[in-house]
Amino acid sequence: MTARIVVLPGDGIGPEIAEQAMRVLGALGLDLDLQQAPVGGAAYEISGHPLPDSTLELARSADAILFGAVGDWKYDQLDRALRPEQAVLGLRKALGLFANLRPAILYEELANASSLKPDVVSGLDILIVRELTGDIYFGQPRGVRILEHGPYAGQKQGYDTMHYAQGEIRRIAHVAFQAAARRQGRLCSVDKSNVLETSQLWRSTVIDVAREYPQVELSHMYVDNAAMQLVRAPKAFDVIVTGNLFGDILSDEAAMLTGSIGMLPSASLNASRQGLYEPCHGSAPDIAGKNQANPLAMILSVAMMLQYSLDQPASALRIEQAVRHVLAQGLRTPDLYEPGTTRVSTTEMGDAVLKALK
Ligand code: NAD
């Protein structure tokens, strides 16, 4: 069956890296229907909105969405609702993308790029599964009120509400257990159940779901300890599952273990496995149009798309192996360049991956 893929290149380096990703997709010999649409600042210029209805409809009808990056400083003065970054939030909401998967892989060849000692991180391969649509970021009530009683009476107080329903916890737990079953079979659930009611329900619900996955070894960790262990002994983790707030922080921490923002793909999935795949970095306006951007995070996002939404694990593996091959050859875009390696442009890196695929 033909897989429908919508490519949303976006702004800045988005179109440059999306082009390389499409070349790689085209070389796999798969039955694909590829369509492109504007998003972010590029869409605002054409239609006055960062996520036009036509783009959203196309995205809804797709099996998977490949998203480049959005944003530029020139849009900073716009109303919040019209800023390019709102397109990502709008797509997440409209498509119900509740599961965010962020691998943090440190290829042996790039071990020096990390700020940690090479022996602590070399060969690192962990996956963080973050719940994306609930938690304190979306909980009601929230706001700023005037306190009537107590030592701060008369002053403003900001407040937010953390909550998770059992169903929300269960569905993200299933995604994480299934991912762990395909990997080394170890899942660590991160919470703060020594303090938070929400976390106590989180923990007991994850334990409940675990009965369906006897092949996966489940452990639990408080979030403060997890933050420490990620820099102390990150290779001890296989898959981590956590809520929106803790996941926001831990996934950025894990990303930095690899030291190279241009290498990190991500996936956001909904209940029917429709997904949005994008690099973790932004639109990098400082290097846009210079043919300097590292396209590998975007190309690795294609591999995630093949694995999680299109059920093509063999093609995903081919891409991952091609990326390993070009790194082993010593090819580096400027963000990863170090003496003794060969500096290449965005398009040259794309050429090299294509060659390695063949
Ligand atoms: P950024 O990730 O765009 O850039 C941070 C630094 O990393 C820059 O020096 C940049 O040149 C470099 N960099 C990023 N990706 C790279 C790549 N593939 N190859 C080589 N170098 C790379 O973050 P920022 O500068 O804080 O934000 C720039 C714009 O991107 C802002 O408008 C921001 O809102 C937006 N943004 C968008 C997304 C998204 O589209 N999902 C995510 C984050 C930021």
Side-chain angles (χ1 to χ4, degrees), residues 11 13 17 67-76 84-85 88 92 261-263 278-288 292-298 333-336 346:
D11 309 318
I13 61 170
I17 56 175
F67 189 97
V70 291
D72 193 291
W73 303 308
K74 68 180 176 189
Y75 301 113
D76 283 354
E85 295 78 6
V88 192
R92 279 183 192 167
I261 195 163
M263 294 296 301
E278 60 176 331
C280 289
H281 59 72
S283 56
D286 53 331
I287 57 166
Q292 285 182 5
N294 184 348
L296 294 179
M298 185 84 212
T333 39
D335 54 311
L336 297 175
T346 309

Side-chain angles (χ1 to χ4, degrees), residues 176-189 206-207 210-220 236-241:
F177 276 108
Q178 284 162 21
R182 281 197 296 266
R183 293 168 47 100
Q184 295 168 35
R186 287 181 295 117
L187 177 64
C188 179
S189 171
V206 172
I207 289 171
R211 294 202 189 99
E212 296 177 47
Y213 300 92
Q215 73 277 39
V216 176
E217 182 195 319
L218 173 66
S219 61
H220 304 273
F237 293 105
D238 177 19
V239 180
I240 291 174
V241 64

